[in-house]
């Protein structure tokens, strides 16, 4: 393999828990909820899929949001509209909290790298294998990589909202391969979403999947990549 492409959320990084997310925003806004109400609110936000990078919606997406939800990763505006829209199904003590919650998830402190992420990226760099990040996302994730020390090992970022294309569209993977100057047939795509990340196979890339688990539950899920690239 000449290059490895990685997904972001659920692959190299994992977002904080819904409880941590909600608690941080309430604290910053100098608001609070009784314990029982706090836990019920966090569970409700989970069910509607309000936390980007968190759990997928369990409840049906409202009809008025369905189209935006499907194409949410094609622009920053669509991404914000989709996630604040589903969040508004859950009552909160201040209407401003919906946008504040969205803003919180874009901060580096809301994300943690998987324990083996930096070692795997560093080893790939030492082996001369180029690295790209290909993400369905509506905001610039580069500060997250810089804050956590992974940016020096990434050669290119291809973000859906910057191109108006979202995975599994093979054009997004083709853009990454072109930026790295590698043949897709010599490229491995690593991700947690079989539909979205599996789209790289249409281009000729090999594909490897990891489990979208909390950071503490997946200490070495990326190390198999080192064996796959040889």
């Amino acid at each position: 393999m000449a290059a490895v492409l990685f997904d972001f959320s659920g692959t190299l990084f994992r977002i904080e828990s819904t409880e941590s997310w909600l608690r941080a925003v309430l604290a910053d806004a100098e608001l609070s909820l009784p314990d029982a109400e706090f836990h019920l609110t966090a569970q409700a936000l989970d069910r509607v899929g309000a936390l980007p990078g968190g759990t997928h919606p369990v409840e049906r997406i409202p009809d008025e949001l369905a189209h935006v939800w499907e194409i949410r990763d094609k622009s920053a505006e669509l991404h914000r509209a989709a996630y604040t829209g589903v969040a508004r199904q859950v009552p909160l003590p201040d209407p401003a909290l919906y946008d504040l919650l969205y803003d919180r998830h874009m901060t580096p402190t809301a994300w943690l790298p998987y324990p083996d992420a930096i070692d795997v990226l560093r080893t790939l760099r030492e082996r001369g294998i180029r690295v790209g990040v290909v993400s369905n996302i509506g905001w610039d994730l580069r500060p997250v990589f810089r804050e956590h020390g992974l940016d020096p090992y990434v050669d290119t970022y291809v973000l859906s909202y910057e191109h108006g294309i979202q995975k599994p569209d093979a054009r997004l993977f083709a853009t990454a391969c072109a930026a790295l100057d590698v043949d897709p047939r010599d490229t491995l795509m690593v991700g947690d979403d079989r539909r979205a990340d599996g789209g790289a196979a249409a281009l000729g890339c090999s594909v490897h999947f990891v489990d979208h688990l909390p950071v503490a539950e997946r200490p070495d899920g990326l190390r198999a990549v080192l064996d796959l690239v040889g």
Side-chain angles (χ1 to χ4, degrees):
M1 293 291 172
V4 181
L5 306 177
F6 289 94
D7 175 48
F8 167 55
S9 174
T11 301
L12 290 175
F13 283 84
R14 175 69 188 245
I15 191 69
E16 65 187 332
S17 68
T18 307
E19 291 81 2
S20 173
W21 177 55
L22 177 60
R23 186 176 291 109
V25 170
L26 288 172
D28 286 347
E30 299 182 346
L31 295 170
S32 63
L33 294 171
D35 284 349
E37 186 178 350
F38 172 85
H39 292 297
L40 287 172
T41 300
Q43 290 168 10
L45 288 168
D46 242 355
R47 287 196 304 273
V48 300
L51 175 58
T55 57
H56 292 294
V58 174
E59 298 185 0
R60 182 172 175 271
I61 300 293
D63 290 343
E64 64 272 18
L65 284 174
H67 178 65
V68 171
W69 186 262
E70 284 299 312
I71 60 171
R72 64 191 181 279
D73 297 310
K74 290 188 174 183
S75 77
E77 295 77 17
L78 288 168
H79 198 264
R80 180 181 286 270
Y83 282 102
T84 57
V86 295
R88 285 189 174 92
Q89 297 174 88
V90 180
L92 293 176
D94 184 334
L97 289 171
Y98 299 106
D99 276 304
L100 293 175
L101 283 168
Y102 185 84
D103 293 341
R104 162 74 187 181
H105 104 275
M106 296 188 289
T107 63
T109 53
W111 296 87
L112 278 178
Y114 282 93
D116 54 348
I118 194 164
D119 287 340
V120 168
L121 294 186
R122 183 188 296 118
T123 301
L124 292 173
R125 172 58 56 88
E126 291 169 351
R127 293 184 184 180
I129 295 170
R130 309 211 75 195
V131 169
V133 171
V134 182
S135 177
N136 276 354
I137 199 164
W139 50 277
D140 186 3
L141 51 72
R142 294 172 183 88
V144 177
F145 280 75
R146 289 196 292 268
E147 179 72 19
H148 292 282
L150 275 67
D151 180 66
Y153 308 107
V154 178
D155 298 295
T156 193
Y157 296 90
V158 177
L159 312 181
S160 61
Y161 84 101
E162 294 181 337
H163 298 272
I165 302 167
Q166 62 187 37
K167 297 181 290 185
D169 193 318
R171 290 177 294 170
L172 208 61
F173 306 105
T175 298
C177 290
L180 296 174
D181 193 25
V182 293
D183 189 316
R185 293 168 295 183
D186 298 325
T187 302
L188 174 67
M189 175 65 206
V190 181
D192 67 299
D193 188 318
R194 279 165 169 72
R195 178 178 177 273
D197 300 313
L203 196 64
C205 299
S206 300
V207 182
H208 174 69
F209 297 107
V210 294
D211 294 323
H212 187 134
L213 293 170
V215 166
E217 296 177 25
R218 211 195 75 195
D220 57 2
L222 291 166
R223 295 200 183 277
V225 171
L226 300 178
D227 295 327
L228 291 169
V229 300

